[in-house]
Amino acid sequence: MTLDTMLTSADQEDNSWSQDQQRRLPGDPRSWSRADVSRWLKIMEDRYHLSPIDRSRFAMNGRALCLMQKDMFSARVPEAGHLLYDDFQTRLRFVLGLVLCQMNRLQ
């Protein structure tokens, strides 16, 4: 087995683990528990090949993450805070967009 084959195989295993974890995250980040936040951080580490993120810096639930500004993410993870913030905001906007669509249908 070549190094390229081993790396490709490892990437596929990591990707399947990450996809499995992604499916286990509640769709609405506002409802995330501390364990969900930790799971999301692991997904982000895998997706962007980040160094392990200190979970104690994110000992909070999804509602608390909603209150954080980009600079607060960056203060906790200087090399990747912007990635975490952007991903979280994208997830939040998606859910809020769905809520607005549902509300418009009811009117």
Side-chain angles (χ1 to χ4, degrees), residues 1-97:
M1 180 179 272
T2 67
L3 179 60
D4 286 341
T5 306
M6 289 173 22
L7 290 175
T8 300
S9 177
D11 282 347
Q12 288 172 345
E13 288 174 19
D14 285 347
N15 190 34
S16 65
W17 183 92
S18 187
Q19 288 175 352
D20 182 50
Q21 293 302 307
Q22 181 74 30
R23 284 189 288 273
R24 292 182 187 188
L25 273 180
D28 188 343
R30 296 171 298 176
S31 69
W32 289 358
S33 66
R34 284 184 176 197
D36 294 327
V37 170
S38 182
R39 193 173 299 119
W40 171 68
L41 293 171
K42 176 64 175 149
I43 291 167
M44 296 301 290
E45 289 169 354
D46 293 344
R47 179 179 296 159
Y48 295 106
H49 306 286
L50 303 174
S51 301
I53 297 169
D54 181 1
R55 299 303 192 267
S56 70
R57 310 236 30 192
F58 289 92
M60 61 189 76
N61 61 24
R63 285 195 182 271
L65 284 179
C66 290
L67 299 174
M68 290 177 54
Q69 300 296 318
K70 187 178 250 183
D71 62 327
M72 298 167 90
F73 280 88
S74 294
R76 286 170 170 78
V77 186
E79 69 279 1
H82 65 286
L83 293 173
L84 298 176
Y85 177 81
D86 290 344
D87 183 83
F88 186 80
Q89 290 299 314
T90 298
R91 291 169 186 273
L92 189 57
R93 279 192 302 272
F94 178 76
V95 169
L96 294 175

